[in-house]
Amino acid sequence: MQISGSSAVVVGGTGGMGEATVRRLHAAGAKVVIADVNDEKGKALSDELGVRYLHTDAGSEDDVNAAYAAAAEQAPVRVSVHVHGGPAGGGRLLKKDGTPHKLEDFRLTIESYLISFFNVTRLAAAAIAKSEPYNDDGSRGVIINTASVAGYEGQIGQVAYGAAKGGIISMTLNAARDLAVVGIRSVTIAPGTINTPAYGKAADQLEAYWGPQVPHPRRMGRADEYGQLAVAIAENDYLNGEVIRLDGALRFPPK
């Protein structure tokens, strides 16, 4: 895919990995729409780069459709990246005092991390399908979702988060098969421990804890490494139906 001359939507584009992806896609020549709920950061990034920002609730059909409509006004919609965060709903399945995990916390995590991703995926597919193919293979674009290595080896207290991210992992190949008929690829990135500005003062502590556990490079990941991978996925037309771990060969221990 030739990114230049295409439009891209980054849902969660004001977060660490989202912002890095916005910058990478913009540098590659895409007309980028930042879709998120952090208006202050979104507008600041919009002003800096000259891209569009729309306040977007990933679980809202109207909001998400508006973001892709804004992208279509600028250029054919070819790239969708979804990397938004939300409440992780942490907690053991059963506490030491015998109290079970709260059902409402599980529901909230699934809603935030799985249902919203499905909502964006289906609406992104509808938007990209309206663009004309850009090659003889009938290719129209790519949908890049974000899971986590917790979807494979969730730690103690991550039963809800792991279930949600595991759902995104499972959705990847199904989506690729469903969307093959309209030339849309589906790829998921499963990050490990990525050190983003969201951690604030705790970033150094996290680096000291996680860095030595990563086989190589012996450090936490960087947000720009996510953005770099997202662009590489978009550019490679034969990469489809795959989940790519971005974790330095880290495998989560139980805790």
Side-chain angles (χ1 to χ4, degrees):
M1 180 195 299
Q2 183 69 38
I3 292 177
S4 180
S6 302
S7 68
V9 178
V10 182
V11 180
T14 68
M17 293 185 289
E19 178 182 342
T21 304
V22 168
R23 292 184 182 278
R24 282 276 185 171
L25 287 168
H26 177 260
K31 302 293 185 182
V32 184
V33 172
I34 305 167
D36 211 332
V37 294
N38 189 327
D39 294 342
E40 182 178 355
K41 286 193 67 176
K43 290 173 182 175
L45 191 56
S46 172
D47 291 342
E48 177 191 345
L49 299 180
V51 302
R52 293 195 63 177
Y53 167 75
L54 273 78
H55 182 96
T56 306
D57 175 353
S60 164
E61 182 168 349
D62 289 343
D63 282 7
V64 174
N65 275 332
Y68 287 94
E73 291 173 359
Q74 301 180 84
V77 185
R78 303 286 188 204
V79 182
S80 171
V81 183
H82 190 179
V83 66
H84 93 280
R92 289 174 178 261
L93 188 61
L94 190 67
K95 293 182 180 180
K96 292 180 179 180
D97 64 1
T99 304
H101 194 294
K102 290 184 178 179
L103 184 58
E104 57 267 33
D105 288 348
F106 185 86
R107 281 197 178 115
L108 178 60
T109 301
I110 296 298
E111 183 76 37
S112 299
Y113 284 101
L114 181 56
I115 295 177
S116 68
F117 272 80
F118 174 76
N119 186 52
V120 171
T121 298
R122 70 188 184 94
L123 299 176
I128 296 172
K130 295 175 184 176
S131 301
E132 290 297 318
Y134 56 82
N135 62 18
D136 292 339
D137 293 329
S139 301
R140 285 186 165 88
V142 62
I143 297 170
I144 302 170
N145 279 321
T146 308
S148 166
V149 297
Y152 293 105
E153 59 260 355
Q155 295 187 291
I156 292 171
Q158 287 189 319
V159 64
Y161 183 72
K165 291 301 186 177
I168 295 171
I169 289 168
S170 295
M171 190 167 65
T172 305
L173 181 59
N174 290 129
R177 289 172 167 173
D178 281 356
L179 299 175
V181 68
V182 288
I184 299 174
R185 295 181 288 124
S186 164
V187 180
T188 293
I189 300 173
T193 54
I194 308 296
N195 201 333
T196 70
Y199 293 123
K201 294 181 180 179
D204 290 343
Q205 295 175 341
L206 287 168
E207 183 66 56
Y209 178 76
W210 283 112
Q213 299 188 56
V214 180
H216 183 76
R218 201 167 289 274
R219 59 170 174 79
M220 292 178 71
R222 297 164 183 156
D224 186 59
E225 289 169 326
Y226 178 99
Q228 181 183 17
L229 179 56
V231 167
I233 290 169
E235 291 177 332
N236 191 329
D237 284 336
Y238 207 61
L239 189 53
N240 190 18
E242 187 57 83
V243 182
I244 303 172
R245 293 182 65 128
L246 184 66
D247 59 16
L250 173 69
R251 296 298 180 267
F252 270 169
K255 60 181 178 180

